[in-house]
Amino acid sequence: MKAVIMAGGEGTRLRPLTCGIPKPMVPVLNKPIIEYTIKLLKKHNFNKIAITTFYLSNHIIDYLGDGSRFGVSIEYFIEETPLGTGGSVLNTGDFLDDSILIISGDVLTDIDLSKAIEFHKSKNSMATLILKRESNPLEYGIVITSDDGRIQRFLEKPSWGEVFSDTINTGIYILERDVFKYYKKGDVFDFSKDLFPKLLKDNVPMFGYITEEYWNDIGDINSYKQTHFDILSGKVNIDLENPMLKEGIFVGEGSVIKEDVIIKPPVYIGKNCFINSKVVLEPFTIIGNNCDISENVNIKKSIIWDNSTIGTSTQIRSSIICNKVIIKSNVNLFEDSVVGSESIVEAFSTIKPGVKIWPFKKIKESSIVNNNLVWGTKVSKTLFGNRDISGDINIDITPEFSSLLGSAYASIVKKDKPVIVSCDNTNSAKAIKNSILSGLLSSGVRIIDIEDITLPIARNAVKFYSASRGIHVYMDSSLSSKAHIEFINEKGGNIDRATEKKLEHLYHRQDFERCNPDSIKDVIKVYNYSSFYINTISSMLKHTQKIKSKNPKILISSESDLTITIASKLLSEIGCRINIDYSLKDKDWDNKAIENLCKKVVNEGYFLGFIISGNGESLKIIDDQGSVVDREKYLLLTELIIAKSGRSNKFIVPHTITKQVEEIAKNYSIDVIRTKSSVSSLLNEILKDENSFYQYFLNFDAIAASALFIDFIVGSDVAPHEIVNEIPKFYTKYREILCDISERGRIIRQLIEENKDKDIELFEGLKINTEKGWAIIVPDNEKPIFSIYSEGYSEEFADEISADVFDKVVKLLNNS
């Protein structure tokens, strides 16, 4: 059998390590990653190897040559344009004359390929994927298999709600020649996204071989370092080139180490190095070839490439130093810092944690480097939570972070259309908005700044101005230090998961588009956009004259002055008498405050009471008899209003909501469409169709919803409590259970295995249907928890189902 190594990766997430070399040539213990792959193939009798390349191909070709020094024969196939994983392999043409093994050139593994091939043959498989269990599978493609290993389903880079297994695709495949018949040479296609789903659809025999052996995708700086630590910890079955001087201490030929050097294993030192007096090499230190380490240097958990010099009394902690770097004396490098090739760091300088210095930079003496050179600052790998980017002001969300975020966002917007930028009326939100605005401007984006508004009004403005996208910043109503940055797509919804991922990658790469000074645009300021918004909502009402005639008395409360002001203007304009209750502005308010509002509505004869969230998005209604309508009850109420008013023939709800939605729909002949529970999924499904805009306003614009609800009640000549009393009874429960992120995939997989003979669904999380009701277990994208939703045909059944699932998850967690 022949093998193909895919080696076209640029390694953008590994920059600055890959600024001048392709990803497969990044060194691991002083040898390129791809060399380990060649040796693994040779070990399992693969003598004919094709290598597909694209980025900086000459580095790979010059190093490996024809393969003879490794005992193999290598052919190269260079892509002029990227063809995708499948397209690059098919581009090898006549090389694919029989069964083929495909492997990536930028992973480190000791997988027994011979056993995988035996498995492939024993199953008469046309395509076998080598799989691996991974505790945090979000960055990988998940593969779900049956008990006999047959592949049932693929999920490419899922959200936590789609993690139905912890079995990931390693990108190592054994394929028969016939599977390529779907495409022709030169076509652009991927194995995971294009070819494998077609094979699955056509019922072509596909199997997954699950390995327990070592495999690590060296995709970013952290995984790169971890690979080294794993090798030195003995977790990888590979031969190390340098001999072991003492237990856990490997030293290359020609290296000189002074007698008073302290070495705490495991440590790996290359060839021809000089380690001077009083140096301390702490565990997991890796030093390349031809390096000079001066006196009193202390190094821990760090990787130094070839031909670098480290000056006297320098401290290096969990850092990476690339080729030909000169570090002068008394320099401090802190955790997760990287110094690119041929850079110079002058004496008494400090490189702060997480800072990355690109190649060929010179750091002046006594500098304190807080930011990346050239393009940015550090941030955690995952920026987005369940729906937005959030964090504490001046800790997580800083002006520097926000400006770079704006630059990253500018790289994915259409330059021929404006971007709407807005915020609430707090000074903190304004400061963050202005920082984002500067990042956008630096990339030549046209900006319309609509000043102080609510989130739903920002969505309205994006549609009104036909903008490419929008950004809205607001402060959390319950945590005054926490800011939210919401990203709006061209239809007014939230950006989808794929766009979130793209934005995260752009931010981490920090390879932003910049414009010349003449291309920086003026900011268009729009003042009092809320007045236009009020006119827009007023024009949607059918019974304005009737409202003015009735002059209903309305109570409004919110945590936000801005929300109260806009809601009061709208409801006053359509003919309501408005009273405002400011009690919810107290950050310590609780259910007692809601009870007081209910009493106030009844005792003082209000037609309705409205409690509007601080960002203007969600609404609680208090009817004329003091009943509170919120959450699922509110959703059913909006369905009744839509059905009775004939405004739409469909209703869109999250997957986790009560089945009473379908019961209402049957009575009024409307369709129910269920989506994943994320705000982005629900919003974008609603905004697909203009006929669903009425639902959008009811469910995602609390100020507009309050006016629309008054319009419907007054137009129907009923008391508010009469329509509220039509909401059918339902019995749902919600519980949370703490679960470490590393355990989520395992728990979901084992729950699926335990319930495989039951009626289960894998739309989002795991849904288990029983004769008493149902339960859905969904991992949260933001917090280390499982959310457990359940519904029973009685309250007792709902409690029973919820408790049963909760206990099962706890048991699985305790059996880890």
Side-chain angles (χ1 to χ4, degrees):
M1 190 180 291
K2 296 178 182 178
V4 176
I5 300 175
M6 296 181 291
E10 296 182 37
T12 52
R13 288 186 295 149
L14 276 172
R15 289 179 181 169
L17 307 188
T18 53
C19 283
I21 56 174
K23 187 178 175 184
M25 289 300 294
V26 170
V28 171
L29 292 184
N30 309 335
K31 293 191 296 187
I33 304 169
I34 197 170
E35 183 174 334
Y36 293 97
T37 305
I38 297 284
K39 290 181 175 179
L40 178 68
L41 291 172
K42 171 63 178 173
K43 179 179 178 181
H44 292 280
N45 301 313
F46 288 89
N47 298 315
K48 292 185 178 180
I49 299 170
I51 297 180
T52 65
T53 70
F54 169 67
Y55 176 68
L56 299 176
S57 304
N58 59 300
H59 287 264
I60 297 173
I61 297 169
D62 290 347
Y63 183 83
L64 297 177
D66 63 3
S68 56
R69 70 188 177 101
F70 303 104
V72 297
S73 172
I74 298 176
E75 294 182 50
Y76 297 94
F77 297 87
I78 302 172
E79 300 168 43
E80 294 182 5
T81 58
L83 296 172
T85 54
S88 69
V89 172
L90 188 52
N91 192 50
T92 62
D94 293 339
F95 188 84
L96 301 179
D97 56 4
D98 201 350
S99 305
I100 196 83
L101 181 133
I102 296 158
I103 190 169
S104 176
D106 51 22
V107 299
L108 188 78
T109 181
D110 59 9
I111 289 172
D112 189 330
L113 300 177
S114 299
K115 283 186 179 179
I117 292 167
E118 288 176 16
F119 173 88
H120 173 80
K121 291 177 179 178
S122 70
K123 297 292 185 179
N124 293 316
S125 177
M126 293 296 289
T128 296
L129 285 64
I130 296 182
L131 310 178
K132 174 82 175 168
R133 302 207 188 281
E134 171 64 39
S135 60
N136 185 357
L138 291 188
E139 292 299 314
Y140 305 97
I142 288 179
V143 182
I144 299 172
T145 61
S146 61
D147 290 340
D148 66 350
R150 185 143 188 160
I151 291 172
Q152 297 178 317
R153 189 173 177 185
F154 294 99
L155 286 167
E156 273 296 304
K157 295 190 177 178
S159 66
W160 271 117
E162 298 169 301
V163 174
F164 306 128
S165 176
D166 56 358
T167 313
I168 65 164
N169 179 4
T170 66
I172 306 174
Y173 314 126
I174 305 163
L175 305 178
E176 298 302 316
R177 180 69 180 85
D178 286 349
V179 302
F180 290 99
K181 66 184 179 182
Y182 292 88
Y183 299 94
K184 61 181 184 294
K185 185 177 179 181
D187 285 350
V188 178
F189 69 100
D190 283 314
F191 287 119
S192 296
K193 294 179 183 177
D194 303 308
L195 178 61
F196 295 155
K198 286 187 177 182
L199 298 179
L200 194 63
K201 183 179 179 183
D202 289 353
N203 206 29
V204 173
M206 297 176 65
F207 287 83
Y209 173 79
I210 300 175
T211 180
E212 299 297 328
E213 292 150 321
Y214 186 85
W215 175 89
N216 194 17
D217 174 21
I218 304 175
D220 57 27
I221 298 295
N222 287 333
S223 61
Y224 174 72
K225 288 195 293 187
Q226 189 61 49
T227 299
H228 286 78
F229 304 157
D230 288 344
I231 295 172
L232 292 183
S233 298
K235 296 180 181 179
V236 193
N237 182 23
I238 60 172
D239 295 326
L240 299 182
E241 184 176 3
N242 291 345
M244 186 158 55
L245 190 66
K246 295 180 181 178
E247 184 64 34
I249 300 174
F250 301 87
V251 181
E253 181 183 347
S255 288
V256 176
I257 302 172
K258 292 286 188 176
E259 290 183 3
D260 57 355
V261 170
I262 297 173
I263 302 179
K264 302 176 183 178
V267 168
Y268 193 89
I269 300 170
K271 300 175 182 178
N272 303 314
C273 293
F274 184 77
I275 315 295
N276 218 317
S277 295
K278 300 179 182 178
V279 167
V280 178
L281 302 180
E282 300 203 46
F284 299 105
T285 293
I286 296 96
I287 299 175
N289 301 316
N290 307 307
C291 290
D292 192 324
I293 313 297
S294 301
E295 293 181 351
N296 292 308
V297 168
N298 189 293
I299 307 173
K300 182 179 182 180
K301 295 188 76 172
S302 297
I303 301 164
I304 301 172
W305 290 7
D306 295 346
N307 303 299
S308 289
T309 300
I310 311 299
T312 304
S313 299
T314 285
Q315 306 283 317
I316 303 173
R317 291 289 177 270
S318 193
S319 301
I320 301 173
I321 296 170
C322 297
N323 292 325
K324 299 181 181 179
V325 170
I326 298 174
I327 307 288
K328 299 291 183 70
S329 62
N330 293 283
V331 171
N332 291 305
L333 290 97
F334 290 104
E335 287 78 4
D336 300 324
S337 59
V338 181
V339 182
S341 294
E342 300 190 50
S343 292
I344 299 173
V345 182
E346 296 285 359
F348 297 99
S349 294
T350 298
I351 313 299
K352 286 296 188 72
V355 168
K356 297 176 179 62
I357 299 171
W358 259 241
F360 308 107
K361 300 297 177 289
K362 184 172 183 178
I363 309 301
K364 294 181 180 179
E365 186 171 319
S366 300
S367 295
I368 298 176
V369 186
N370 294 298
N371 298 313
N372 293 354
L373 295 179
V374 180
W375 294 307
T377 55
K378 69 185 179 74
V379 75
S380 63
K381 186 175 181 181
T382 302
L383 300 181
F384 283 86
N386 286 324
R387 61 174 289 173
D388 57 23
I389 294 175
S390 63
D392 288 338
I393 286 286
N394 286 334
I395 298 175
D396 305 303
I397 309 293
T398 64
E400 297 86 357
F401 168 82
S402 304
S403 175
L404 292 167
L405 191 62
S407 296
Y409 200 49
S411 299
I412 62 175
V413 302
K414 297 175 182 176
K415 300 298 191 295
D416 59 336
K417 292 184 176 183
V419 171
I420 304 300
V421 179
S422 58
C423 64
D424 66 20
N425 61 341
T426 62
N427 289 333
S428 296
K430 290 176 183 178
I432 297 305
K433 180 201 73 174
N434 289 333
S435 296
I436 292 171
L437 192 147
S438 67
L440 290 165
L441 285 174
S442 68
S443 298
V445 173
R446 288 194 293 134
I447 294 171
I448 298 176
D449 183 356
I450 55 176
E451 297 290 324
D452 308 346
I453 55 168
T454 63
L455 174 57
I457 300 177
R459 299 187 192 282
N460 181 281
V462 170
K463 288 185 62 65
F464 175 75
Y465 288 109
S466 298
S468 63
R469 295 181 189 272
I471 301 179
H472 182 73
V473 184
Y474 62 96
M475 300 304 296
D476 196 291
S477 56
S478 58
L479 294 170
S480 59
S481 63
K482 187 177 183 180
H484 295 265
I485 305 174
E486 198 105 10
F487 295 85
I488 303 169
N489 65 25
E490 69 279 2
K491 290 187 176 180
N494 280 35
I495 61 174
D496 57 23
R497 183 63 178 157
T499 308
E500 288 178 0
K501 284 288 187 184
K502 187 174 182 180
L503 182 57
E504 286 175 347
H505 289 161
L506 281 167
Y507 181 90
H508 290 296
R509 284 168 54 184
Q510 297 183 10
D511 191 5
F512 307 136
E513 298 176 10
R514 301 292 193 193
C515 67
N516 61 56
D518 294 335
S519 298
I520 295 177
K521 312 288 194 303
D522 288 330
V523 176
I524 300 171
K525 294 271 190 179
V526 176
Y527 300 97
N528 203 23
Y529 180 82
S530 58
S531 294
F532 173 80
Y533 163 81
I534 288 170
N535 292 335
T536 300
I537 302 305
S538 298
S539 68
M540 294 175 60
L541 307 183
K542 294 181 176 180
H543 307 103
T544 305
Q545 290 305 316
K546 206 169 180 180
I547 296 171
K548 288 180 178 178
S549 174
K550 188 175 180 66
N551 193 214
K553 185 180 177 184
I554 305 296
L555 182 68
I556 297 175
S557 191
S558 177
E559 303 105 323
S560 164
D561 281 332
L562 177 64
T563 300
I564 288 172
T565 299
I566 298 171
S568 299
K569 285 181 180 178
L570 171 60
L571 299 186
S572 295
E573 186 169 304
I574 66 173
C576 299
R577 286 175 290 148
I578 303 301
N579 282 332
I580 298 168
D581 186 292
Y582 289 101
S583 61
L584 298 189
K585 285 179 60 58
D586 180 358
K587 300 299 180 188
D588 296 324
W589 71 271
D590 53 16
N591 289 334
K592 187 68 176 174
I594 302 292
E595 289 176 18
N596 291 336
L597 286 173
C598 292
K599 291 176 183 176
K600 190 171 184 178
V601 168
V602 174
N603 294 337
E604 299 182 20
Y606 284 95
F607 185 68
L608 282 167
F610 294 119
I611 301 171
I612 303 174
S613 63
N615 68 357
E617 195 170 72
S618 61
L619 180 67
K620 290 183 176 73
I621 295 176
I622 304 173
D623 71 15
D624 52 319
Q625 293 189 343
S627 295
V628 178
V629 183
D630 64 353
R631 299 186 179 91
E632 283 183 279
K633 201 171 179 182
Y634 178 81
L635 195 71
L636 293 175
L637 176 62
T638 60
E639 183 185 16
L640 279 170
I641 292 172
I642 288 169
K644 286 174 174 288
S645 64
R647 294 264 195 161
S648 178
N649 61 358
K650 63 182 177 182
F651 192 64
I652 300 158
V653 295
H655 181 53
T656 53
I657 292 299
T658 170
K659 285 190 173 182
Q660 289 297 333
V661 170
E662 279 82 6
E663 294 304 311
I664 293 174
K666 285 178 189 176
N667 294 333
Y668 293 93
S669 299
I670 62 173
D671 295 327
V672 172
I673 298 171
R674 288 188 177 261
T675 74
K676 292 170 185 172
S677 58
S678 70
V679 169
S680 175
S681 298
L682 184 59
L683 253 178
N684 291 327
E685 185 64 37
I686 291 172
L687 292 172
K688 269 184 185 178
D689 185 352
E690 289 191 6
N691 291 328
S692 297
F693 280 5
Y694 191 67
Q695 183 186 346
Y696 159 74
F697 285 114
L698 287 174
N699 290 158
F700 284 99
D701 186 343
I703 295 174
S706 62
L708 293 171
F709 189 64
I710 292 169
D711 185 59
F712 174 79
I713 296 294
V714 171
S716 301
D717 290 319
V718 295
H721 73 271
E722 292 181 67
I723 185 68
V724 170
N725 289 342
E726 288 189 45
I727 300 171
K729 285 188 176 181
F730 57 92
Y731 307 97
T732 58
K733 296 290 178 183
Y734 174 77
R735 298 182 75 171
E736 293 180 354
I737 184 167
L738 286 171
C739 175
D740 190 88
I741 287 175
S742 64
E743 290 290 298
R744 291 180 181 185
R746 176 182 69 85
I747 297 297
I748 288 290
R749 172 175 56 81
Q750 291 183 346
L751 282 171
I752 292 171
E753 290 172 359
E754 286 185 4
N755 293 278
K756 63 184 178 182
D757 296 329
K758 297 180 182 177
D759 181 8
I760 63 173
E761 300 173 32
L762 300 178
F763 176 68
E764 179 185 31
L766 169 64
K767 183 175 185 180
I768 304 170
N769 296 297
T770 74
E771 69 279 0
K772 297 179 180 179
W774 54 264
I776 298 176
I777 308 99
V778 183
D780 192 277
N781 276 329
E782 193 167 7
K783 305 171 190 173
I785 62 171
F786 278 112
S787 295
I788 301 174
Y789 303 85
S790 59
E791 181 175 25
Y793 298 118
S794 67
E795 189 163 0
E796 182 183 358
F797 285 166
D799 287 334
E800 182 183 326
I801 293 166
S802 179
D804 181 56
V805 172
F806 186 90
D807 291 344
K808 284 180 179 177
V809 174
V810 169
K811 183 178 178 181
L812 290 173
L813 285 170
N814 291 336
N815 290 337
S816 60

